[in-house]
Amino acid sequence: MVMVTIFSSAVMVTKFSSAMRTILYLVFVRILYPVSALPYSSPQAPNYLPGYPDEWAFTTRQQAEAATKVDYKEVMKDVVKLMTNSRDFWPADNGNYGPLFIRLTWHNTGSYRTSDGRGGADGARQRFEPERSWADNTNLDKARALLWPIKQKYGQGLSWGDLFVLAGNAAFESMGGPYFGFCGGRIDADDGSESVQLGPTPEQESLMPCKVAGKCQEPLGANAIGLIYVNPEGHMGIPDPVASARHIREVFARMDMNDSETVALIGGGHTFGGTHGACPAGAGPSPREDPVNPWPGLCGSGKGYDAFTSGFEFAFTTHPTTFDLEYFNNLLNFEWEVHVGPGGRFQWRPILSEGMDTPTAPTNDGRYPRRYVGALTSDIALIKDEAYKKLVELYASDQQLFNRAWSHVWYKLTTRDMGPRTRCSNDDAPPPQWFQYPLPDPPAQLANFEEVKQKLEEVLDDDTGEAIGMFTRLAWQCSSTFRSTDYLGGCNGARIRFSPQKDWAVNINVVSAIDTLEPIKEEFGDNLSWADLIILAGNTALEKAGGKSLKFCGGRTDATDGKGSEHLHPKITGKFSEPLVQLKDSMVQLKDSIGILSLTQREFAALNGAGYAVGDLRDCDGLFCRRNSFQTAVANYERPYSTTSNLSNIFFTTLLSGRWDKYTIPDTGKQMYKARGKDLLMLPTDFLFLLDPELLAIVQDFAADNDLFLSVVASAWTKLSNVDRFKGPTGNVCD
């Protein structure tokens, strides 16, 4: 009700004094929502519950259970009815909100990036800072307000994230577009803390700075903060289609889109609607700047024919509410020239031959002239790049081919951040797609895991102590690929056996552990997956080392290749080695990486301590390595060393008992910390535990209570081992 009232009372709110606007801004933005004070929270973790208070987990499960009772087809019918019910506070172009809803969906889902799995519609964080005030999201507050009655009707069962995607789906289907399907089950975030790394925020500047807008590099998704992909005016605002094509390819690849998908996405999106830039005055203050009356529009009435959104002013086609091939044909059939539009930005118009009528599109009613058809520099780029142009020609000549390409890539765009098909809440979701990296079914008859465990215990009993470190490290390296941001990774599938995982430097020598397990795998055959064997081996080794009894949940399966691992390289490998002046940034990176793992700081600290105590002994890298094994002599077997493997809180007591100086390992150059007067080593990530008050408190707790440490190791290890065993949006087959 508040949102609708604000929009329908725009005249009233403009009468607030500047002082009152400042007070309201401070109340709404700086007090109720201070972005700079956002917690280091687990990205997306409320969606999967790890590390959050019980009441948050309960609310999330409630949302997931309520979602099973929502009929998404009925929701889409309600959206279709809304699309042609134009409202005075934001009149519908051509009497149809469809193009606006498509933009809403695209700008929610198009923020996804492969580098860390952040972005996407899951969480519906466009409602919050920083995303809601991005320049590319101008006026999407109106689209969200239009959808509020539908959200209110279905209540908690219909998440904003699902509604944002369904709105675009319904718009496409009602205007003649193909529809592939829908994967439901998005869980709404409580705030924008999961988007702080998307920027602009201090955390983003610390983790992934962008010194020049338009030249942002990975891991950022767009090449400018606040854009969904590239500057449509041209790279750095220069209307050069050739340069624009290069940057389109680069940035769309950050969303995991190839050339054919990129052209289909741009073409499908620009089949409808148009752009708005009625005058150079602009859209006005953003929600962060003026939460009471954001983006009022400074051209005339600020809405309808006077709207300012992107600063460009034209229609993409002559039929802006019909899904057809005109967009592609216009690109190919016209010659184009650049000019400056009424909004003051470079845009393109057809060069007309003598006697040719200017292509135009209808407007809302007869009071306004028809809108000219035009194009963006990023559109013209598709015919100035040879690879893109061939695809434009292909789609322009085959409606059925384009329909298939479009429907599949739209589903990928809207579903990419949802993880495997098993997380979808609706039974009628499409079957698993390649980008969801589906796994084969588990073995029909599972091995007797007690017998498998006995075989593992025999290996450990016959060993001199090294197998404990080998098995725990293998299981850790397999499980710690998990990302809570897009639900990829984890040990289910055992992709650590394949490239690229097996080739990562941090996985040096894990093949030794796999080779040691090979006879057991052969004995139990197809009834025992490598994934189950790796996890059970880690469990058995931890118990053998003195850990608490671990509950094992079998039924994993094995992938046939390593696809899906390209961006899952562990973020925490112990190699932070920045100068002390940059340790603050390292701390931000460490805590961010802990969150992506779906662990709390306490859980991560416990597992890090376990790796120190019982990790691998030779040819090792990463956190599950004995720290002194990094000494060159030990690594090369040139002197006696202890093979005792006792799981205890020794990491924490050792860390607190010494004074540590920077130290470089001779020959290898590895940066570590060494205790003064002692032959004890720590990784840079270990040293960070002494510098942060929250981490230091955890260190002191574990140093004072070994049983507490062992209990947290057991729970955290089991959680990480099972975190990828999805059953719906929030469930787990091991619960």
Side-chain angles (χ1 to χ4, degrees):
M1 291 298 293
V2 174
M3 293 175 68
V4 176
T5 302
I6 287 175
F7 293 133
S8 61
S9 308
V11 175
M12 181 188 72
V13 298
T14 57
K15 295 180 181 179
F16 282 127
S17 68
S18 60
M20 179 60 72
R21 286 176 183 273
T22 301
I23 292 172
L24 288 168
Y25 171 69
L26 290 171
V27 170
F28 279 97
V29 180
R30 291 304 185 194
I31 297 176
L32 296 181
Y33 192 77
V35 173
S36 61
L38 288 170
Y40 293 109
S41 57
S42 177
Q44 293 278 86
N47 302 6
Y48 195 63
L49 318 182
Y52 277 75
D54 290 341
E55 61 269 22
W56 289 20
F58 177 71
T59 301
T60 304
R61 289 194 181 97
Q62 276 190 318
Q63 289 184 49
E65 291 170 3
T68 62
K69 302 174 184 177
V70 173
D71 187 334
Y72 294 127
K73 292 184 175 64
E74 291 300 313
V75 176
M76 290 178 65
K77 290 179 182 178
D78 288 341
V79 172
V80 171
K81 292 177 184 176
L82 170 65
M83 280 168 44
T84 53
N85 182 19
S86 184
R87 302 289 301 279
D88 289 341
F89 79 84
W90 193 254
D93 286 350
N94 307 110
N96 194 318
Y97 287 120
L100 176 64
F101 290 159
I102 290 169
R103 178 170 169 255
L104 175 72
T105 305
W106 165 254
H107 285 224
N108 271 277
T109 59
S111 60
Y112 174 80
R113 63 194 190 196
T114 59
S115 60
D116 58 10
R118 286 193 171 90
D122 193 15
R125 296 175 304 278
Q126 192 194 80
R127 298 169 297 149
F128 308 117
E129 299 296 343
E131 290 187 59
R132 74 166 183 161
S133 291
W134 284 358
D136 253 10
N137 290 336
T138 300
N139 289 325
L140 288 180
D141 54 331
K142 283 76 168 178
R144 297 192 296 271
L146 287 164
L147 291 172
W148 164 242
I150 296 177
K151 176 68 174 80
Q152 186 178 34
K153 174 183 176 179
Y154 290 93
Q156 190 179 28
L158 177 62
S159 67
W160 277 108
D162 279 345
L163 180 55
F164 290 160
V165 174
L166 287 167
N169 289 356
F172 269 111
E173 191 174 29
S174 69
M175 293 187 290
Y179 178 64
F180 184 66
F182 174 72
C183 169
R186 293 162 186 82
I187 304 296
D188 289 337
D190 291 331
D191 55 38
S193 58
E194 299 163 30
S195 293
V196 294
Q197 291 87 349
L198 301 180
T201 61
E203 291 82 0
Q204 168 261 313
E205 280 298 318
S206 175
L207 290 167
M208 47 204 77
C210 177
K211 295 182 179 180
V212 180
K215 295 184 178 181
C216 301
Q217 303 296 316
E218 285 192 282
L220 292 170
N223 61 8
I225 302 296
L227 295 183
I228 298 302
Y229 62 116
V230 298
N231 186 342
E233 193 174 15
H235 182 56
M236 305 302 294
I238 301 171
D240 179 352
V242 175
S244 180
R246 289 197 299 269
H247 288 275
I248 290 171
R249 180 170 286 111
E250 175 191 343
V251 172
F252 270 78
R254 300 182 197 178
M255 295 189 289
D256 194 30
M257 298 295 175
N258 61 28
D259 281 2
S260 61
E261 292 170 326
T262 299
V263 175
L265 268 180
I266 295 175
H270 292 179
T271 293
F272 304 111
T275 60
H276 296 84
C279 76
S286 70
R288 176 176 286 186
E289 297 164 324
D290 186 354
V292 177
N293 188 30
W295 291 316
L298 305 180
C299 306
S301 67
K303 57 187 179 180
Y305 196 79
D306 295 328
F308 188 106
T309 296
S310 62
F312 306 100
E313 180 62 40
F314 59 82
F316 286 110
T317 71
T318 60
H319 303 95
T321 58
T322 301
F323 188 84
D324 56 23
L325 300 176
E326 184 184 343
Y327 169 80
F328 293 121
N329 284 305
N330 284 349
L331 287 179
L332 296 170
N333 295 338
F334 288 119
E335 295 293 327
W336 296 86
E337 65 179 0
V338 67
H339 70 108
V340 177
R345 304 192 69 176
F346 289 114
Q347 58 189 52
W348 296 72
R349 62 191 172 198
I351 299 174
L352 302 176
S353 303
E354 186 175 350
M356 183 183 293
D357 293 331
T358 301
T360 60
T363 52
N364 290 351
D365 56 54
R367 292 179 298 167
Y368 301 108
R370 293 172 67 89
R371 302 181 75 202
Y372 292 110
V373 169
L376 303 164
T377 300
S378 54
D379 296 316
I380 303 301
L382 301 184
I383 56 173
K384 298 300 182 181
D385 177 276
E386 285 302 315
Y388 283 159
K389 185 176 181 181
K390 289 179 181 177
L391 290 162
V392 170
E393 293 169 340
L394 189 64
Y395 292 147
S397 63
D398 192 330
Q399 182 76 63
Q400 186 174 358
L401 176 66
F402 176 53
N403 286 355
R404 176 175 173 78
W406 162 257
S407 62
H408 280 75
V409 73
W410 179 255
Y411 183 70
K412 177 183 175 182
L413 174 75
T414 57
T415 312
R416 189 69 171 81
D417 63 328
M418 288 289 286
R421 166 65 174 77
T422 50
R423 293 196 66 255
C424 300
S425 63
N426 50 318
D427 293 336
D428 62 350
Q433 302 296 299
W434 69 265
F435 63 84
Q436 295 170 310
Y437 307 110
L439 291 169
D441 291 334
Q445 179 66 46
L446 296 179
N448 184 320
F449 292 118
E450 284 301 319
E451 294 181 2
V452 177
K453 186 174 182 180
Q454 289 175 8
K455 295 295 181 181
L456 290 165
E457 289 171 343
E458 291 174 8
V459 173
L460 293 167
D461 288 339
D462 293 340
D463 184 69
T464 59
E466 291 188 56
I468 287 178
M470 292 167 58
F471 290 173
T472 54
R473 177 169 172 250
L474 175 63
W476 163 262
Q477 293 302 126
C478 192
S479 297
S480 63
T481 56
F482 179 76
R483 300 198 306 199
S484 63
T485 48
D486 58 359
Y487 310 99
L488 297 181
C491 200
N492 197 12
R495 292 184 172 94
I496 196 169
R497 298 167 299 136
F498 304 110
S499 295
Q501 288 195 35
K502 73 180 183 67
D503 305 317
W504 293 339
V506 73
N507 285 338
I508 183 176
N509 203 36
V510 295
V511 67
S512 296
I514 293 174
D515 289 344
T516 303
L517 293 174
E518 182 74 42
I520 299 177
K521 175 66 175 76
E522 290 180 357
E523 179 176 347
F524 289 91
D526 293 339
N527 293 342
L528 176 63
S529 68
W530 269 109
D532 274 342
L533 179 56
I534 290 170
I535 295 299
L536 188 54
N539 286 10
T540 307
L542 278 179
E543 292 175 353
K544 177 72 173 177
K548 292 184 179 291
S549 178
L550 297 170
K551 182 180 178 180
F552 176 73
C553 174
R556 294 168 184 81
T557 183
D558 291 335
T560 58
D561 55 44
K563 292 178 181 176
S565 301
E566 293 80 4
H567 302 282
L568 300 182
H569 191 284
K571 297 290 190 291
I572 313 174
T573 61
K575 293 183 179 178
F576 295 132
S577 57
E578 293 85 349
L580 283 175
V581 294
Q582 296 181 14
L583 280 175
K584 179 182 177 182
D585 291 346
S586 296
M587 194 72 71
V588 173
Q589 185 179 351
L590 174 64
K591 293 189 174 185
D592 178 67
S593 301
I594 293 171
I596 289 178
L597 262 178
S598 159
L599 296 172
T600 65
Q601 294 176 24
R602 183 173 292 269
E603 290 169 334
F604 175 79
L607 293 178
N608 187 63
Y612 178 94
V614 300
D616 210 347
L617 288 158
R618 306 182 193 269
D619 291 337
C620 191
D621 197 9
L623 302 183
F624 263 71
C625 301
R626 311 288 178 89
R627 303 310 189 248
N628 278 32
S629 71
F630 293 115
Q631 287 281 22
T632 305
V634 173
N636 291 333
Y637 308 89
E638 292 178 4
R639 66 179 182 183
Y641 61 95
S642 172
T643 60
T644 301
S645 295
N646 179 37
L647 182 60
S648 72
N649 61 355
I650 188 173
F651 167 72
F652 305 99
T653 57
T654 302
L655 192 63
L656 293 174
S657 65
R659 298 187 66 183
W660 302 89
D661 297 316
K662 275 193 168 184
Y663 177 71
T664 301
I665 301 293
D667 298 335
T668 67
K670 186 176 182 68
Q671 298 294 308
M672 298 194 73
Y673 283 81
K674 188 174 185 296
R676 291 184 186 178
K678 300 178 183 179
D679 192 19
L680 295 172
L681 297 176
M682 290 284 176
L683 293 167
T685 45
D686 300 331
F687 183 68
L688 290 178
F689 279 83
L690 293 174
L691 306 182
D692 178 79
E694 295 173 359
L695 296 179
L696 179 58
I698 295 169
V699 170
Q700 292 168 336
D701 285 347
F702 287 152
D705 192 333
N706 187 59
D707 191 66
L708 172 65
F709 163 69
L710 294 177
S711 295
V712 178
V713 168
S715 61
W717 180 271
T718 301
K719 176 172 134 179
L720 189 60
S721 298
N722 297 337
V723 71
D724 57 348
R725 308 291 303 282
F726 306 111
K727 184 181 179 182
T730 62
N732 191 291
V733 298
C734 297
D735 289 344

